[in-house]
Amino acid sequence: MPLPNTPASPTILIRGAGDLATGVALELHEAGLRHLLLLERDHPLAVRRLVAFSEAVFVGRIDMEGIAAVRIDASDQAAAAWTKGEIPVLVDPDMACLKQFQPHVLVDALLAKRNTGVHRGLAPLVIGLGPGFTAGKDVHCVVETHRGHGLGEIRTTGSAFPNTGIPGPVLGKSLERLLRAPRDGVFTACRAIGDMVQEGETVGQVEAHGAVAPVTALTSGVIRGLLRSGVAVETGLKLGDVDPRGETWRCRRVSDKARAVGRGVLQAVLVHLDGLRAGTVPGLEPRLEPDSGQIPPKSHPEPSTVPIHLGRTG
């Protein structure tokens, strides 16, 4: 089946299918941009599994807020999923399908906090989410993922707010909300997403070579995210999180953060497509400041007014 790929019906590849990538996919799909393809690893590490399209890798199909994502085993199955109004998810962490699809837009939503090989030559519009990218150098634009007044903003020069490694506080709890691997090994959960736990309670374990290390909650609340059992993990890897508000409905709701980031990506894509339709001069590159690679201050400057449509890449 031919793969439609025109400015009126652009192909958009999204690296990753975790909770933020899912928010991006939902915003794009709901806006009528239906030719989406999510690329994942064979053992996804999303902890908010109930609101992540990455679960399709394990279960084959997952429905999220009225939209279905399905695992496909070959890139030529994507068009059939699009015809059904579904979002295909392909295990392809190295983007081997890139040459076949030649997408109009590539979104790096891995949230790896570093660039893992993306550059502007991969698509007419390459978008990086969060820290690890420099707009105008690695990617055409960056969408801010840091909570605050800048969340979801599009940057066409410089970088996103640097990764602090500290989650935003909820009822005064910050680092205590995280569940991390105490050692290298294989994780096994003994509780589930949506369970209420008390501080000090065991929620799982990491085992290697017969030695077992427990994973305990550092605060009381509801388990909002938790890795699947059987996943190989490294010391310090995020295994899950506990929400001290104890509101179980949040476990099945795509977060406001994911939606805000998704709206930022949608805006960038729409401006790019408008530029194509208007015949914007190809080859336009964003203006780079001499210090664009520096860490941005806590109070970001106003977003650049340079058009996002950048024509030919290089």
Side-chain angles (χ1 to χ4, degrees):
M1 183 178 296
L3 301 177
N5 187 15
T6 67
S9 184
T11 297
I12 302 175
L13 263 57
I14 301 176
R15 295 188 77 196
D19 57 320
L20 282 193
T22 297
V24 171
L26 287 173
E27 290 290 335
L28 293 172
H29 195 276
E30 291 169 358
L33 300 169
R34 304 294 174 83
H35 293 157
L36 309 174
L37 176 61
L38 277 57
L39 307 180
E40 254 295 353
R41 54 191 292 168
D42 55 355
H43 290 91
L45 295 176
V47 299
R48 295 209 63 210
R49 296 183 289 108
L50 300 187
V51 290
F53 283 143
S54 58
E55 275 295 277
V57 172
F58 294 110
V59 301
R61 177 189 176 96
I62 182 169
D63 291 279
M64 197 78 59
E65 301 190 9
I67 298 173
V70 295
R71 173 172 177 163
I72 60 174
D73 297 316
S75 54
D76 58 7
Q77 298 172 358
W82 293 337
T83 300
K84 298 176 183 177
E86 300 168 338
I87 300 176
V89 180
L90 177 67
V91 174
D92 184 9
D94 298 322
M95 297 189 293
C97 70
L98 200 62
K99 288 185 178 180
Q100 176 186 357
F101 283 94
Q102 298 183 2
H104 278 286
V105 181
L106 173 66
V107 182
D108 191 314
L110 295 181
L111 279 300
K113 318 301 183 186
R114 58 187 176 88
N115 189 335
T116 60
V118 166
H119 59 84
R120 288 179 296 163
L122 296 178
L125 178 62
V126 180
I127 303 172
L129 302 191
F133 306 98
T134 301
K137 181 180 178 181
D138 312 307
V139 296
H140 293 108
C141 64
V142 173
V143 174
E144 182 61 71
T145 59
H146 183 75
R147 279 197 181 274
H149 71 275
L151 178 63
E153 284 184 354
I154 305 165
R155 312 201 186 286
T156 55
T157 60
S159 306
F161 195 90
N163 177 38
T164 64
I166 302 174
V170 176
L171 297 185
K173 305 294 184 179
S174 181
L175 288 173
E176 304 97 322
R177 297 196 291 113
L178 301 183
L179 301 170
R180 294 195 180 276
R183 58 167 299 158
D184 295 355
V186 176
F187 174 66
T188 301
C190 63
R191 302 301 299 269
I193 296 175
D195 285 354
M196 298 295 299
V197 294
Q198 298 299 314
E199 180 179 343
E201 187 174 345
T202 299
V203 298
Q205 65 181 34
V206 177
E207 186 272 337
H209 310 297
V212 176
V215 178
T216 57
L218 301 180
T219 189
S220 301
V222 62
I223 298 178
R224 194 179 67 143
L226 195 64
L227 278 186
R228 278 180 168 266
S229 294
V231 175
V233 300
E234 298 179 350
T235 303
L237 180 73
K238 182 178 176 180
L239 304 177
D241 69 81
V242 177
D243 189 331
R245 290 169 293 194
E247 298 169 338
T248 57
W249 63 267
R250 296 181 184 274
C251 302
R252 296 183 176 275
R253 178 74 63 85
V254 175
S255 71
D256 57 337
K257 176 178 178 177
R259 285 288 192 169
V261 171
R263 287 190 289 272
V265 172
L266 173 61
Q267 181 185 359
V269 172
L270 292 179
V271 172
H272 170 74
L273 295 178
D274 286 345
L276 287 179
R277 298 184 187 105
T280 303
V281 178
L284 178 65
E285 296 291 345
R287 174 176 54 83
L288 292 178
E289 301 294 343
D291 62 348
S292 61
Q294 296 180 358
I295 294 175
K298 289 187 177 180
S299 179
H300 294 296
E302 289 298 316
S304 169
T305 57
V306 175
I308 295 170
H309 168 56
L310 303 168
R312 178 180 54 79
T313 59

